[in-house]
Short mmCIF file of all heavy atoms in Angstrom, two decimals:
data_model
loop_
_atom_site.label_atom_id
_atom_site.label_comp_id
_atom_site.label_asym_id
_atom_site.label_seq_id
_atom_site.Cartn_x
_atom_site.Cartn_y
_atom_site.Cartn_z
N ARG A 50 128.47 -94.06 112.90
CA ARG A 50 128.56 -94.57 114.27
C ARG A 50 128.68 -96.08 114.28
O ARG A 50 128.34 -96.77 113.30
CB ARG A 50 127.34 -94.16 115.11
CG ARG A 50 126.00 -94.69 114.59
CD ARG A 50 125.46 -95.89 115.33
NE ARG A 50 124.26 -96.43 114.70
CZ ARG A 50 124.27 -97.40 113.84
NH1 ARG A 50 125.39 -97.97 113.47
NH2 ARG A 50 123.14 -97.86 113.32
N GLY A 55 122.73 -102.84 122.21
CA GLY A 55 121.39 -102.25 122.21
C GLY A 55 120.87 -102.18 120.79
O GLY A 55 120.57 -101.13 120.26
N GLU A 56 120.75 -103.38 120.16
CA GLU A 56 120.38 -103.39 118.74
C GLU A 56 118.89 -103.65 118.57
O GLU A 56 118.32 -104.54 119.21
CB GLU A 56 121.19 -104.48 118.03
CG GLU A 56 121.66 -104.09 116.67
CD GLU A 56 122.59 -102.87 116.69
OE1 GLU A 56 123.79 -103.05 116.90
OE2 GLU A 56 122.09 -101.75 116.49
N HIS A 57 118.28 -102.86 117.69
CA HIS A 57 116.85 -102.97 117.39
C HIS A 57 115.99 -102.76 118.63
O HIS A 57 114.95 -103.40 118.79
CB HIS A 57 116.52 -104.34 116.76
CG HIS A 57 116.96 -104.44 115.33
ND1 HIS A 57 116.28 -103.85 114.30
CD2 HIS A 57 118.05 -105.05 114.78
CE1 HIS A 57 116.91 -104.10 113.15
NE2 HIS A 57 117.99 -104.82 113.42
N ASP A 59 115.96 -99.25 119.94
CA ASP A 59 115.68 -97.80 120.04
C ASP A 59 114.23 -97.51 119.67
O ASP A 59 113.54 -96.75 120.35
CB ASP A 59 116.67 -96.96 119.21
CG ASP A 59 116.72 -97.29 117.72
OD1 ASP A 59 116.18 -98.34 117.30
OD2 ASP A 59 117.29 -96.48 116.96
N TYR A 60 113.75 -98.19 118.61
CA TYR A 60 112.36 -97.91 118.20
C TYR A 60 111.34 -98.56 119.14
O TYR A 60 110.14 -98.39 118.95
CB TYR A 60 112.12 -98.30 116.73
CG TYR A 60 112.56 -99.70 116.33
CD1 TYR A 60 111.81 -100.82 116.64
CD2 TYR A 60 113.74 -99.87 115.60
CE1 TYR A 60 112.20 -102.08 116.25
CE2 TYR A 60 114.15 -101.14 115.21
CZ TYR A 60 113.38 -102.24 115.54
OH TYR A 60 113.77 -103.50 115.15
N GLY A 156 125.54 -100.80 108.20
CA GLY A 156 125.21 -100.75 109.63
C GLY A 156 126.02 -99.74 110.41
O GLY A 156 126.03 -99.75 111.63
N LEU A 157 126.72 -98.83 109.68
CA LEU A 157 127.52 -97.80 110.37
C LEU A 157 126.88 -96.42 110.19
O LEU A 157 127.50 -95.39 110.40
CB LEU A 157 128.96 -97.81 109.86
CG LEU A 157 129.70 -99.14 110.00
CD1 LEU A 157 131.12 -99.05 109.43
CD2 LEU A 157 129.76 -99.60 111.47
N SER A 158 125.62 -96.45 109.74
CA SER A 158 124.80 -95.25 109.73
C SER A 158 125.22 -94.18 108.73
O SER A 158 125.16 -92.98 109.02
CB SER A 158 124.80 -94.67 111.16
OG SER A 158 123.84 -93.70 111.26
N SER A 160 123.50 -93.54 106.17
CA SER A 160 122.25 -92.88 105.77
C SER A 160 121.93 -91.71 106.69
O SER A 160 121.62 -90.60 106.23
CB SER A 160 121.09 -93.88 105.77
OG SER A 160 120.82 -94.36 107.06
N SER A 161 122.03 -91.95 107.99
CA SER A 161 121.65 -90.88 108.94
C SER A 161 122.67 -89.75 108.92
O SER A 161 122.31 -88.59 109.17
CB SER A 161 121.52 -91.44 110.35
OG SER A 161 120.64 -92.53 110.33
N GLU A 192 114.28 -88.77 108.60
CA GLU A 192 114.78 -89.94 107.84
C GLU A 192 113.64 -90.91 107.52
O GLU A 192 113.75 -91.71 106.58
CB GLU A 192 115.92 -90.65 108.59
CG GLU A 192 116.57 -91.72 107.71
CD GLU A 192 117.96 -92.15 108.14
OE1 GLU A 192 118.57 -91.50 109.01
OE2 GLU A 192 118.43 -93.17 107.59
N THR A 197 111.79 -96.04 106.05
CA THR A 197 112.07 -96.91 107.20
C THR A 197 111.64 -96.21 108.49
O THR A 197 111.74 -94.99 108.60
CB THR A 197 113.57 -97.24 107.29
OG1 THR A 197 114.32 -96.03 107.08
CG2 THR A 197 113.98 -98.25 106.24
N GLY A 199 112.82 -95.94 111.62
CA GLY A 199 113.93 -96.06 112.59
C GLY A 199 113.60 -95.40 113.93
O GLY A 199 112.64 -94.63 114.05
N GLY A 200 114.46 -95.70 114.90
CA GLY A 200 114.17 -95.24 116.26
C GLY A 200 114.82 -93.92 116.64
O GLY A 200 114.30 -93.21 117.49
N GLY A 201 115.96 -93.57 116.07
CA GLY A 201 116.59 -92.29 116.43
C GLY A 201 118.00 -92.41 116.98
O GLY A 201 118.65 -91.40 117.23
N MET A 202 118.47 -93.65 117.15
CA MET A 202 119.83 -93.82 117.69
C MET A 202 120.89 -93.14 116.81
O MET A 202 121.79 -92.46 117.33
CB MET A 202 120.15 -95.32 117.77
CG MET A 202 121.65 -95.61 117.82
SD MET A 202 122.03 -97.29 118.20
CE MET A 202 121.44 -98.18 116.78
N ASP A 203 120.77 -93.33 115.50
CA ASP A 203 121.85 -92.88 114.60
C ASP A 203 121.96 -91.36 114.59
O ASP A 203 123.06 -90.80 114.62
CB ASP A 203 121.57 -93.39 113.17
CG ASP A 203 121.35 -94.89 113.13
OD1 ASP A 203 121.64 -95.55 114.15
OD2 ASP A 203 120.87 -95.39 112.11
N GLN A 204 120.80 -90.69 114.56
CA GLN A 204 120.81 -89.23 114.52
C GLN A 204 121.21 -88.67 115.89
O GLN A 204 121.87 -87.63 115.98
CB GLN A 204 119.42 -88.73 114.12
CG GLN A 204 118.92 -89.27 112.77
CD GLN A 204 118.30 -90.67 112.86
OE1 GLN A 204 118.25 -91.28 113.93
NE2 GLN A 204 117.82 -91.16 111.73
N LYS A 247 118.65 -100.61 103.90
CA LYS A 247 117.46 -100.85 104.73
C LYS A 247 116.16 -100.40 104.10
O LYS A 247 115.09 -100.91 104.43
CB LYS A 247 117.64 -100.20 106.10
CG LYS A 247 118.21 -101.12 107.15
CD LYS A 247 119.61 -101.66 106.88
CE LYS A 247 120.68 -100.62 107.10
NZ LYS A 247 122.05 -101.11 106.96
N PHE A 253 113.58 -104.43 107.66
CA PHE A 253 113.67 -103.55 108.83
C PHE A 253 112.27 -103.20 109.35
O PHE A 253 111.98 -103.38 110.54
CB PHE A 253 114.46 -102.28 108.46
CG PHE A 253 114.68 -101.38 109.65
CD1 PHE A 253 115.72 -101.61 110.53
CD2 PHE A 253 113.81 -100.32 109.90
CE1 PHE A 253 115.91 -100.79 111.65
CE2 PHE A 253 113.99 -99.51 111.01
CZ PHE A 253 115.05 -99.74 111.88
N GLY A 432 124.42 -102.32 114.06
CA GLY A 432 123.46 -101.69 113.15
C GLY A 432 122.32 -102.66 112.88
O GLY A 432 122.14 -103.65 113.61
N ALA A 433 121.60 -102.41 111.81
CA ALA A 433 120.39 -103.20 111.57
C ALA A 433 120.67 -104.65 111.21
O ALA A 433 119.86 -105.54 111.49
CB ALA A 433 119.56 -102.55 110.47
P1 NG1 B 529 121.33 -98.72 110.31
O1 NG1 B 529 121.71 -100.10 110.13
O2 NG1 B 529 122.47 -97.82 110.56
O3 NG1 B 529 120.48 -98.18 109.18
C1 NG1 B 529 119.08 -98.98 111.86
C2 NG1 B 529 118.22 -97.84 112.42
C3 NG1 B 529 118.49 -97.55 113.90
C4 NG1 B 529 118.42 -98.83 114.72
C5 NG1 B 529 119.32 -99.90 114.08
C6 NG1 B 529 119.23 -101.22 114.79
C7 NG1 B 529 117.56 -96.00 110.96
C8 NG1 B 529 117.95 -94.70 110.37
N1 NG1 B 529 118.48 -96.61 111.69
O4 NG1 B 529 120.42 -98.60 111.69
O5 NG1 B 529 117.54 -96.60 114.39
O6 NG1 B 529 117.10 -99.28 114.86
O7 NG1 B 529 119.00 -100.11 112.72
O8 NG1 B 529 119.60 -101.11 116.12
O9 NG1 B 529 116.44 -96.45 110.76
#
Side-chain angles (χ1 to χ4, degrees):
R50 61 102 186 94
E56 219 62 84
H57 285 283
D59 58 347
Y60 51 78
L157 302 179
S158 192
S160 65
S161 307
E192 189 161 349
T197 45
M202 160 170 67
D203 306 348
Q204 303 82 359
K247 266 63 74 176
F253 184 83

